[in-house]
Amino acid sequence: MSTDTYICSVERSNVLATDIAADPGRYRTLTGERPTGPLHIGHLFGTIRERVRLQDLGVETMIVLADYQVITDRDAIGHVRQHVYDAALDNMAAGIDPDRSTIFTHSAVPALNQLILPFLSLVTEAELHRNPTVKAELAASGRALSGLLLTYPVHQAADILFCKANVVPVGKDQLPHIEMARVIARRFKDRYAAVFTEPQALLTSSPDVPGLDGRKMSKSFGNAITLSMTPDETARVVRRTATDSERHISYDPDTRPGVSALLTIAALCTGRSPESIAADVGSAGSGALKTLVTEAVNSFLAGHRRRRAELALDPGYVRSVVRRGNERANEIAEQTLDEVRRVMGTHY
Ligand code: TRP
């Protein structure tokens, strides 16, 4: 993406943010997660807090637990059902209210998935091959490109367009996805009729959360602090972090990835700067830093973990939340598919 394009996106996003605050009732947002494993603090700072904020402003909020996306870059679907319920718990513990927001699973909404067929006719193979997310996921998977991974931007567009979401909070790296959804909405209008709304990207200022090894926090890197860990488990993973032999603690992500990742995590959890935390620890060494980080994370997550544990006491409740969400998503998707059939002339 060129710098100019990025600056335009930032400007548009700022205008959008002002309008959402003034008139939240005009907006519907959709975001989601791939239920590949437990959610971690990267998810919380990255997307979950932003969607709670939008919900609380009065924006209608849809959350897709994209279970079909689990198999875009791997064969094993894993304990997907458990991961779905865990993700629902984490969203609720973070403030998502299932009476105001819809939590649903991709695979339970046939009409949403059916939109992918006409959408596929609107994009070319070359466009899909060029998509930066497809390229990045392909490289990370180290495997042959599956048809599902190649078409990832199209099914993600279907997730957004089926419910006519007009605002999608994203990090900068996901802008190409929103662009694809906009292109599909536009081409559908040119070919048939204006059924779909062009979604706008709301760029979130959320920080990149480093994992415990300094790379991006990710389940697949095994460097994550998950939201569901106990305080003791948190202490254990923090203690395992590879630091270095320099006793004086300083913030320098390039030369000291482990130490700097720990400082950044503590900074996010306390609202302070990594440098000032480094100055506090001074020459007390990485052991002292790890104790400080553990306490910062555990006290930051205490409320979340308490609410999560309370909700988890009633597994029937979380199942009913997902079931209700699926019903609502199906209603919306069927209505949209009906419109699509009508404008395509495929209603019999
Ligand atoms: N791909 C996203 C992730 O990996 C999840 C997701 C699925 C999503 N559909 C979406 C996000 C639509 C935003 C909009 O976390």
Side-chain angles (χ1 to χ4, degrees):
M1 186 181 15
S2 74
T3 314
D4 274 359
T5 320
Y6 179 59
I7 291 171
C8 282
S9 307
V10 173
E11 281 167 6
R12 269 203 309 271
S13 172
N14 289 343
V15 174
L16 176 64
T18 311
D19 199 55
I20 292 172
D23 200 356
R26 282 185 44 225
Y27 289 92
R28 177 183 274 175
T29 183
L30 179 128
T31 50
E33 271 99 37
R34 291 207 297 165
T36 51
L39 300 187
H40 51 65
I41 56 176
H43 293 110
L44 187 62
F45 285 110
T47 52
I48 298 178
R49 291 215 303 190
E50 181 63 9
R51 75 173 68 122
V52 172
R53 190 184 72 82
L54 289 171
Q55 168 198 269
D56 291 346
L57 273 176
V59 174
E60 186 180 352
T61 302
M62 310 282 297
I63 299 161
V64 60
L65 302 178
D67 49 1
Y68 273 148
Q69 276 193 7
V70 172
I71 45 173
T72 45
D73 59 354
R74 68 192 82 193
D75 294 332
I77 189 136
H79 302 288
V80 65
R81 197 158 174 264
Q82 193 52 50
H83 296 324
V84 159
Y85 292 138
D86 282 344
L89 282 177
D90 276 321
N91 272 281
M92 289 191 280
I96 288 297
D97 170 3
D99 290 330
R100 284 183 287 160
S101 296
T102 303
I103 303 177
F104 69 100
T105 53
H106 205 166
S107 66
V109 190
L112 181 168
N113 288 289
Q114 207 173 319
L115 295 175
I116 297 171
L117 273 155
F119 287 180
L120 281 170
S121 75
L122 301 171
V123 299
T124 66
E125 185 210 355
E127 284 172 319
L128 295 173
H129 275 293
R130 264 204 306 272
N131 186 284
T133 313
V134 171
K135 285 203 265 187
E137 298 264 334
L138 175 63
S141 78
R143 315 169 72 237
L145 177 61
S146 74
L148 190 64
L149 180 51
L150 179 64
T151 54
Y152 193 107
V154 182
H155 36 99
Q156 190 133 302
D159 297 346
I160 298 169
L161 297 179
F162 94 98
C163 63
K164 304 183 185 180
N166 50 5
V167 50
V168 183
V170 288
K172 176 182 162 187
D173 55 327
Q174 284 179 58
L175 281 171
H177 272 322
I178 310 303
E179 196 44 41
M180 179 57 91
R182 292 169 66 87
V183 164
I184 289 176
R186 240 173 0 241
R187 290 184 187 162
F188 192 91
K189 174 171 125 224
D190 291 345
R191 211 169 281 186
Y192 306 104
V195 170
F196 299 103
T197 317
E198 278 185 49
Q200 296 197 71
L202 180 66
L203 282 164
T204 54
S205 53
S206 44
D208 279 335
V209 181
L212 292 166
D213 55 3
R215 293 187 289 174
K216 185 180 152 107
M217 188 174 284
S218 164
K219 285 167 282 209
S220 42
F221 292 156
N223 62 4
I225 300 177
T226 70
L227 300 174
S228 51
M229 277 174 181
T230 63
D232 283 349
E233 285 165 341
T234 306
R236 223 170 301 138
V237 294
V238 169
R239 220 177 298 127
R240 273 209 313 263
T241 304
T243 47
D244 50 50
S245 53
E246 167 69 50
R247 203 165 164 76
H248 188 80
I249 296 303
S250 61
Y251 180 67
D252 188 347
D254 290 333
T255 58
R256 309 187 74 183
V259 166
S260 302
L262 289 172
L263 287 167
T264 303
I265 291 167
L268 288 168
C269 291
T270 55
R272 298 177 54 192
S273 73
E275 291 83 359
S276 76
I277 295 173
D280 276 6
V281 181
S283 297
S286 55
L289 173 63
K290 287 177 179 177
T291 304
L292 184 150
V293 171
T294 301
E295 278 165 12
V297 171
N298 283 341
S299 71
F300 175 73
L301 287 180
H304 182 99
R305 287 168 169 167
R306 184 175 32 74
R307 289 187 293 278
R308 194 186 194 287
E310 277 164 19
L311 290 162
L313 287 176
D314 184 0
Y317 175 65
V318 66
R319 284 199 294 268
S320 78
V321 164
V322 174
R323 212 175 306 122
R324 249 195 306 147
N326 284 343
E327 275 165 26
R328 168 136 177 83
N330 270 296
E331 272 167 33
I332 298 172
E334 275 156 29
Q335 213 167 6
T336 304
L337 184 59
D338 235 37
E339 284 176 62
V340 164
R341 288 183 174 129
R342 226 165 278 279
V343 302
M344 289 182 72
T346 54
H347 55 303
Y348 307 106

